[in-house]
Amino acid sequence: MERPITLGEFIIENQKDFAYAKGELTALLSSIKLAGKVVNEKINKAGLSSIIGKIGTENVQGEIQAKLDIIANDVFVDTLRNRGEICGLASEEFENFISFDEAINLESKYVVLIDPLDGSSNIDVNVTVGTIFSIYRRLSPVGSPVTLEDFLQPGINQIAAGYLIYGSSTILVYTVGNGVNGFTFNPGIGSFFLSHPNIRFPDTAKIYSMNEGNYEHFPTGIKKFIKWAQHIDDSQNTPLTARYTGSLVADIHRNMLLGGIYLYPQGTLSPNGKLRLLYEANPIAFITEQAGGRAVDGKNRILEILPKELHQRSPLICGSKKLVERVENFIDKFSEGY
């Protein structure tokens, strides 16, 4: 039986599809892979090592931090700093970006934006969580300290994006703009192996994922879509099935494999949407489009939004193209001023 290809082998074999320096991307993804292994180990032993629960402090978003939020953030920051492939990092857990000014980082051409532990409120109840990352080429001159502008780039400038999902198995999914591939971690060997080649949203979508507890706060167009999704009509493949975990990575991963749509619209208790444009919406949108889906904020393509601040929030509607387009039609028809 032929051995499946490892993540490292896959990256090297497909370097021709990457427009920039080949070895640098390989090393950078290797660093993310290594940090992901460490975080995975911490999560798997969380209940045995007294690192579940909250620590009582808030991050810049005003959210109470879990112990594993801090641990995961430290693991990714230290790993990426020490390996020298990037010159700066912005994290959902930090108010400002970090400039890596050590000698090993001076010639680096890339910056990383990261949500170290997406869905961390699920940790204490053993529900799937993840890590989301986004990679850009810096705009400032190589050799100089990074600037805010290096991070405030539209999503279309991403050269790579991906996520790690820590669930019944640990999977790393990423794209460099030439399709989406997933790699499952084999803990017995310590390597990621190609398990989900060329991921594409199925033509038939049967799932919608959203927090319907916010229904009364949704715009009319979103409410109309929900009612359409719940209506029995064989000709339109409805009703759809509702599936929502509160972990963006888990919901997106399921919908991409099985066919579905994820919605966190404007008009909830978070008027501008709850998700962070740079750490969540942009990388997920890049992956979604590369898998044949569509990602919008209700009116605009996510990847074309010009960020104005590091922790800017955005609505996110993404998934199977036909379902997203149907939501857009409902918004255009019923939600004036969305």
Side-chain angles (χ1 to χ4, degrees), residues 10-20 22 176 178:
F10 182 87
I11 294 171
I12 293 171
E13 287 184 12
N14 292 274
Q15 283 183 349
K16 64 182 186 303
D17 298 325
F18 186 62
Y20 301 104
K22 311 300 189 290
V176 294
N178 191 43

Side-chain angles (χ1 to χ4, degrees), residues 238-293:
T238 57
L240 304 182
T241 299
R243 292 287 185 269
Y244 183 71
T245 66
S247 172
L248 174 62
V249 164
D251 289 322
I252 293 297
H253 187 72
R254 179 194 51 242
N255 292 352
M256 190 161 58
L257 296 182
L258 301 182
I261 184 171
Y262 176 92
L263 304 97
Y264 209 115
Q266 180 192 85
T268 66
L269 296 176
S270 303
N272 297 318
K274 184 179 180 182
L275 301 177
R276 266 62 61 163
L277 175 63
L278 296 179
Y279 312 108
E280 296 167 315
N282 270 341
I284 293 300
F286 189 21
I287 294 166
T288 295
E289 289 194 3
Q290 286 297 311

Side-chain angles (χ1 to χ4, degrees), residues 13-33:
E13 287 184 12
N14 292 274
Q15 283 183 349
K16 64 182 186 303
D17 298 325
F18 186 62
Y20 301 104
K22 311 300 189 290
E24 292 171 341
L25 177 68
T26 301
L28 179 47
L29 288 173
S30 176
S31 295
I32 291 171
K33 174 183 69 176

Side-chain angles (χ1 to χ4, degrees), residues 15-93:
Q15 283 183 349
K16 64 182 186 303
D17 298 325
F18 186 62
Y20 301 104
K22 311 300 189 290
E24 292 171 341
L25 177 68
T26 301
L28 179 47
L29 288 173
S30 176
S31 295
I32 291 171
K33 174 183 69 176
L34 173 61
K37 289 181 185 180
V38 176
V39 172
N40 175 66
E41 191 267 343
K42 298 290 186 183
I43 290 171
N44 286 341
K45 295 182 178 179
L48 300 174
S49 53
S50 301
I51 56 174
I52 60 174
K54 307 296 184 182
I55 62 173
T57 61
E58 295 184 354
N59 63 13
V60 66
Q61 319 294 332
E63 300 164 339
I64 300 297
Q65 293 174 302
K67 295 176 183 178
L68 273 167
D69 280 322
I70 303 301
I71 292 170
N73 188 64
D74 289 346
V75 167
F76 276 97
V77 171
D78 291 344
T79 303
L80 291 168
R81 183 200 303 272
N82 294 336
R83 287 204 157 192
E85 291 96 11
I86 65 172
C87 52
L89 178 143
S91 167
E92 182 180 305
E93 301 301 325

Side-chain angles (χ1 to χ4, degrees), residues 219-221 266 299 330-338:
T220 303
Q266 180 192 85
K299 289 290 187 180
F330 277 122
I331 289 174
D332 287 342
K333 185 174 182 180
F334 295 104
S335 297
E336 192 171 323
Y338 180 92

Side-chain angles (χ1 to χ4, degrees), residues 157-172:
N157 287 4
Q158 291 173 101
I159 62 167
Y163 60 78
L164 287 124
I165 180 168
Y166 313 107
S168 57
S169 58
T170 296
I171 301 175
L172 189 154

Side-chain angles (χ1 to χ4, degrees), residues 150-228:
D150 291 317
F151 299 94
L152 296 185
Q153 300 187 52
I156 53 173
N157 287 4
Q158 291 173 101
I159 62 167
Y163 60 78
L164 287 124
I165 180 168
Y166 313 107
S168 57
S169 58
T170 296
I171 301 175
L172 189 154
V173 175
Y174 86 99
T175 181
V176 294
N178 191 43
V180 180
N181 293 279
F183 301 79
T184 299
F185 181 57
N186 183 330
I189 299 175
S191 296
F192 284 88
F193 292 91
L194 180 63
S195 55
H196 298 74
N198 193 29
I199 301 173
R200 304 284 296 178
F201 280 91
D203 291 334
T204 301
K206 290 293 294 179
I207 298 168
Y208 73 102
S209 305
M210 67 187 310
N211 183 357
E212 290 187 69
N214 289 324
Y215 181 86
E216 290 299 324
H217 302 279
F218 291 148
T220 303
I222 300 297
K223 292 179 179 178
K224 293 289 185 180
F225 170 77
I226 294 172
K227 293 305 180 185
W228 172 86

